[in-house]
Amino acid sequence: MDRRNSIKSMILGGMAGGLALHGCKPQAEAGASQEVPGYSYKYGRTPEEKERIMELESEVFFSEHEMETIRVLCALILPANEHFGSAVDAGAPEFIEFMAKDVPELQTELRGGMMWLDHQSNTMFGTEFKAAAEADQKKLLDTIAFYDSSIPLDQQALEIQFFCLMRNLTVCGYFTSKIGIEDLGYKGNTPNVWDGVPQEVLDQHGVAYDEEWLAKCVDQSKRNVIAEWDEEGNLLT
Amino acid sequence: MQIKESPKTYDAIVVGSGAGGGMATKVLADAGLNVAVVEAGPFFDPADPDQMTQLKWPWESPRRGAPTERPFGDFDTAYGGWEIEGEPYTHKNGTKFDWFRSRMLGGRTNHWGRISLRFGPKDFKHKDVDGLGENWPIGYEDVKPYYDRVDKLIGVFGTNEGLPNDPDGFFLPPPKPRLHELFYINGARKSNIPVYPARLSMLTKRINNERGVCFYCSQCSRACQVYADFSAESCLIFPAQKSRGQVDLYVNSQVREVTTNSEGKATGVSYINKEDRKEYQLKGRVVILAASACSSARILLNSKSAQHPNGLGNSGNVVGKYLHDSTGSSRAGFIPGLMNRKIYNEDGVGGMHVYTPWWLDNKNLDFPRGYHIEVWGGMGMPNYGFGFNPNEFNKFFNLPTGGYGDSLRADVKKYYGSVLGFGGRGEPIALEDNYCEIDPTTVDEFGVPVLRFHYNWSDHERKQAKHMQETFEELIHNMGGEPLGATPSKEEDYGLAAPGRIIHEVGTTRMGDDPKTSVVNKFQQLHDADNVFITDAGPFVSMADKNCTWTILALSWRASDYIVEQLKQQNI
């Protein structure tokens, strides 16, 4: 069905009726979906939003040393296991770089936190964090990786806040990636027919459906039959 | 700069293409009229692959859906938000009102929650109950036939429960509750709080051959490519384009003012074409404002002339006043009984399958008016924010929080789907002192004076929010859960959202029989100019503890029927 081919309808840009030419691609439509050279994303964006993404991607925020440090941290926070790749394999470092540019408020904490990490590593092991032995890296992280959940985060030591942020972005980057969603086992985002909670799940969680409630619910075998009602609003089909 | 005039005279010019404008366009076009629709944003069709966000994966966005650009996240459909570059608004006396604008064909209907609740008999005459606010000049019986028609035209699922103030209708069958909703039903019963199937405008069953049926992706906020939910363009504007009348769509066209003649009657509108930044005029026999309650008030106040020196429709000084938004307070809880879940697809529809309408009698309470309870939860698609503080809930089991390594994977899976949240959405009292007006010191990038807001909540709303929080905590405990975060304090207004945040702006051009205390009559016709109508939520006298869209649609249909009749009789 082409919903725009009604010959009686015109989609005009801002132009007044008399000024528009029939048969031309309407400006308004072109406006919403205009091509931006070099742009590769395939989800609905306005031209301004596409430009913003292009602009952010053309910027470099973290130095190569910082990016390597981020990769080391991501791999420690979510390493590969026998079934799934690491947060690095899932693209978490690139996501963190993008977010640092997209949300500049993150920059000082991330960059400063990594400087702190290098300083601490140098003090403890005589080498910067990324070059330290994995056992030493973990020894250092063990001092900042746990937080006291009874104290608001912004009142805790800066290095604890930094690692929380790095962990949040890493875990988020992982579980919003293709690998991470497969790992999680999320089954949705696809056309389907919802027909209630599976019985074994109801049993596992100790709940049940009321028959009376179920009787009101959609009969999925008739969902494609056009609805008709009597005068009281009772569904007939 | 010369203003360019169109030679054509339309039967009607509709300003705005959301619920109110879309419905007016549909009804007028069905009656064979020539209609111009003037929309400030670009053309939008949920079925256009270039604009689609539905069924995309989080990794398809470089920010994984983060709300940096769009306030409800990268995949939300609304173009715009609380702030729009080049289109500011201001505030008076340090008060707050957050104004959400969606600049696109269909406006805010592209991303809304589709919660479609009729107002009940009490909602139109609430002053009779508690002496507060004002009664509507119409009652439920005036609107009921139009609610019925809206149900059948657009489609809404729900159930006839025979409730006194939450009327029955013509419902499609609701979807079965999800697991967290069964927990909610059980928890609510312990406190004698009733729960019913939700009422959302999503097609759980086919209503015609032009629109598809819901395929349960839970993404109505991304606008549905098969038109299985209500958006104004897909359900009203596009069908109007195929009807008897002629519909011309002017997009990227922001109306500046309604033009009037020496008799004070409207002659059309002037608008700014955002593409060439020039001003144009359209001529029409009738002008219908449906630009949103606040935008329509702004257009009226900016439409000054010798005949309307105080702004069009503003002889009684009422335009902009009685602005109100729903109250809102929210809370979430961790429910241990929902841990360690077996994974299956429980996306469901794009919103709640069950809800609680207002259930108490205010005689026993210290605040007027009520609220309904919305509920959310489940194993949703990961998006920006997923995995933050992955094992925070360890604190409830005296286990360490934080750490790193492979165990974080197990923590995330253990807690996936174990959070359930509530939104209370209630009725405020409309006050004259809550208003928008023209700020003479500020213009937008098109040179049009902007709105300045003045809005304070009263103790009525604060006490209602307090009651919401107490109820939510009780419900969470009933489910064996732990409320998350501290109880919002008195100083925090008990979590009461800032005015505007619930995006139900209504009341700025309220209806009434007396031109001194109202802007439009009971047919939403300006007292001061009989060929100007308002079909957004501006004419609402009061909000009710319901969402406003279904009433906007019903009233717009009713007003549009009246317009067709008046045009036929050559009264306007």
Side-chain angles (χ1 to χ4, degrees), chain A residues 73 75 85 116 221:
Chain A
L73 282 167
W116 181 94
S221 70

Side-chain angles (χ1 to χ4, degrees), chain B residues 401-421:
Chain B
T401 49
Y404 58 91
D406 197 38
S407 64
L408 291 178
R409 282 188 165 93
D411 290 337
V412 166
K413 291 175 194 175
K414 179 167 70 177
Y415 294 120
Y416 181 41
S418 65
V419 175
L420 186 147

Side-chain angles (χ1 to χ4, degrees), chain B residues 370-387:
Chain B
Y371 59 90
H372 70 262
I373 301 176
E374 302 175 4
V375 57
W376 57 265
M379 301 182 290
M381 177 160 52
N383 222 315
Y384 187 81
F386 184 94

Side-chain angles (χ1 to χ4, degrees), chain A residues 12-198:
Chain A
L12 307 172
M15 298 299 168
L19 303 174
L21 295 172
H22 272 292
C24 292
K25 185 172 169 66
Q27 278 189 319
E29 272 182 273
S33 60
Q34 128 200 333
E35 293 294 320
V36 176
Y39 178 86
S40 62
Y41 293 95
K42 303 277 185 220
Y43 72 117
R45 293 294 83 190
T46 65
E48 298 75 25
E49 289 168 331
K50 289 180 182 176
E51 277 163 28
R52 176 74 183 145
I53 288 176
M54 293 288 286
E55 187 188 314
L56 290 169
E57 292 202 322
S58 71
E59 291 169 12
V60 174
F61 176 68
F62 290 121
S63 68
E64 194 40 48
H65 167 71
E66 288 166 332
M67 280 308 291
E68 285 170 22
T69 305
I70 289 171
R71 283 186 206 107
V72 169
L73 282 167
C74 283
L76 286 166
I77 292 169
L78 272 182
N81 64 17
E82 54 181 314
H83 303 294
F84 295 97
S86 70
V88 177
D89 300 321
E94 293 72 28
F95 163 63
I96 293 170
E97 156 81 2
F98 188 90
M99 290 316 296
K101 295 180 294 192
D102 197 32
V103 185
E105 293 77 9
L106 299 174
Q107 291 176 357
T108 304
E109 190 173 339
L110 289 171
R111 175 167 271 169
M114 286 190 281
M115 284 286 281
W116 181 94
L117 215 52
D118 278 342
H119 171 79
Q120 197 70 2
S121 178
N122 270 309
T123 308
M124 289 168 74
F125 317 117
T127 180
E128 61 191 16
F129 181 78
K130 73 171 199 246
E134 189 177 312
D136 286 342
Q137 289 170 340
K138 288 183 172 176
K139 204 163 147 188
L140 202 172
L141 291 189
D142 286 339
T143 67
I144 62 172
F146 295 90
Y147 61 94
D148 181 347
S149 63
S150 67
I151 301 170
L153 189 62
D154 60 5
Q155 289 167 30
Q156 305 204 28
L158 278 173
E159 58 270 24
I160 289 180
Q161 292 189 43
F162 156 72
F163 193 73
C164 264
L165 176 60
M166 189 57 85
R167 178 175 49 229
N168 284 350
L169 291 172
T170 302
V171 176
C172 176
Y174 177 78
F175 280 106
T176 54
S177 73
K178 200 170 180 183
I179 296 175
I181 285 189
E182 201 189 325
D183 185 355
L184 182 68
Y186 169 71
K187 296 281 193 291
N189 195 33
T190 185
N192 73 107
V193 175
W194 166 255
D195 205 21
V197 182

Side-chain angles (χ1 to χ4, degrees), chain B residues 257-269:
Chain B
E257 63 185 44
V258 178
T259 53
T260 49
N261 63 16
S262 57
E263 291 151 30
K265 283 187 73 149
T267 54
V269 300

Side-chain angles (χ1 to χ4, degrees), chain B residues 330-335 376 392-393 395-396 418-421 469 473 476 481-488:
Chain B
S330 303
R331 198 72 185 275
F334 161 59
I335 313 296
W376 57 265
E392 171 80 13
F393 300 153
K395 68 185 178 191
F396 297 118
S418 65
V419 175
L420 186 147
Q469 289 296 334
E473 290 190 357
I476 291 164
E482 298 277 355
L484 298 177
T487 309

